[in-house]
Amino acid sequence: LSANRGNLTINGTTSILNLSISNTNAGYIYHNGTDMLFVNAKNGASLFYTNASERMRITSGGNVVVGTQTPNSTFDVAGSVAATITTKTATYTLTSSDYTVVFDLNGNAAANLPDATTCKGRIYVIKMNRTSVSDVLTIDPNGAQTIDGNATYDLQCQQAVTIQSDGSNWRIIGDFYGGLKCL
C-alpha cells in the first residue's frame, strides 16, 4: 500500500494496524471503535485518544502525562489523583495492591510489610483508627529489615505514618498524630 495523502480505511475484524513509513518510523495504531492508541516504535512516544480527544501521552523521553501535553515531571497529572484505601480489623500483610490501610482495631494487631528488596520506591500510608492508648498496631518489616533502623514501629491512638521502601529497608517519610483525644 502506498499513498501520498488521503484517508486509509480498513474494514475487517482486526483492530491493530502496523505501520512502516519509509523505514524511518514504525509503530502501530489500535482502535476499538471509540478509543485509539498510537505507538511510535522509533522513539517510544505513545498517545491515547478517547472520542478524538487526547487523554494520555507517553513522551519519547519517557514522561507519562495525563490531561496535559506539557509534562513538568516524569509523571504529571493535570487533575486529581486517587489511591486505594482499605480498612482492616486484624493483623494484615500489605500487598502491591495497597496504598492507604486503616486499622480499626479492638486490641493489638500487626501490619506486616512485604520484602523491601522486592518493591523499591513503594509507599504505604498506615493509620491506626482507635482512640484507646491500650490498642497498639505494630508495623513489622520482613525478616531482619528495619523501619528507620528499628525492628518494628508502633502506632497508637489515631496515629498515621507514611513509609517508603529504599530497596533494602523501610523509611519513614511522614508521621502524623490525629487531633482526637486519646483515652
Side-chain angles (χ1 to χ4, degrees):
L1 175 66
S2 176
N4 290 331
R5 292 186 179 176
N7 296 326
L8 173 64
T9 303
I10 299 175
N11 294 316
T13 59
T14 184
S15 59
I16 297 178
L17 171 64
N18 290 307
L19 304 173
S20 178
I21 304 169
S22 303
N23 293 326
T24 59
N25 291 322
Y28 68 88
I29 295 173
Y30 167 80
H31 191 276
N32 67 4
T34 305
D35 303 327
M36 182 175 70
L37 172 67
F38 170 74
V39 176
N40 181 328
K42 179 180 179 187
N43 65 17
S46 300
L47 302 173
F48 177 71
Y49 291 87
T50 299
N51 295 327
S53 296
E54 183 177 334
R55 299 293 186 214
M56 183 177 80
R57 175 185 296 242
I58 302 172
T59 69
S60 59
N63 292 344
V64 177
V65 294
V66 179
T68 181
Q69 294 181 6
T70 54
N72 294 318
S73 298
T74 304
F75 183 65
D76 193 337
V77 178
S80 60
V81 176
T84 61
I85 183 169
T86 186
T87 300
K88 301 298 177 185
T89 58
T91 294
Y92 175 71
T93 299
L94 284 77
T95 71
S96 61
S97 298
D98 292 314
Y99 182 75
T100 301
V101 182
V102 177
F103 284 83
D104 194 359
L105 303 175
N106 188 9
N108 300 332
N112 298 312
L113 299 175
D115 185 345
T117 66
T118 64
C119 56
K120 183 178 181 179
R122 185 175 300 159
I123 297 172
Y124 290 119
V125 178
I126 302 170
K127 180 176 181 6
M128 174 66 155
N129 192 37
R130 297 297 286 176
T131 57
S132 172
V133 293
S134 63
D135 297 331
V136 176
L137 175 66
T138 299
I139 303 174
D140 191 8
N142 184 283
Q145 293 173 359
T146 63
I147 302 173
D148 276 357
N150 298 303
T152 61
Y153 189 82
D154 289 343
L155 298 181
Q156 292 178 292
C157 194
Q158 297 296 317
Q159 185 180 5
V161 67
T162 302
I163 59 174
Q164 183 172 18
S165 166
D166 67 7
S168 298
N169 292 289
W170 293 90
R171 301 291 179 189
I172 296 172
I173 58 175
D175 201 345
F176 173 78
Y177 290 91
L180 296 177
K181 184 175 179 178
C182 296
L183 307 174

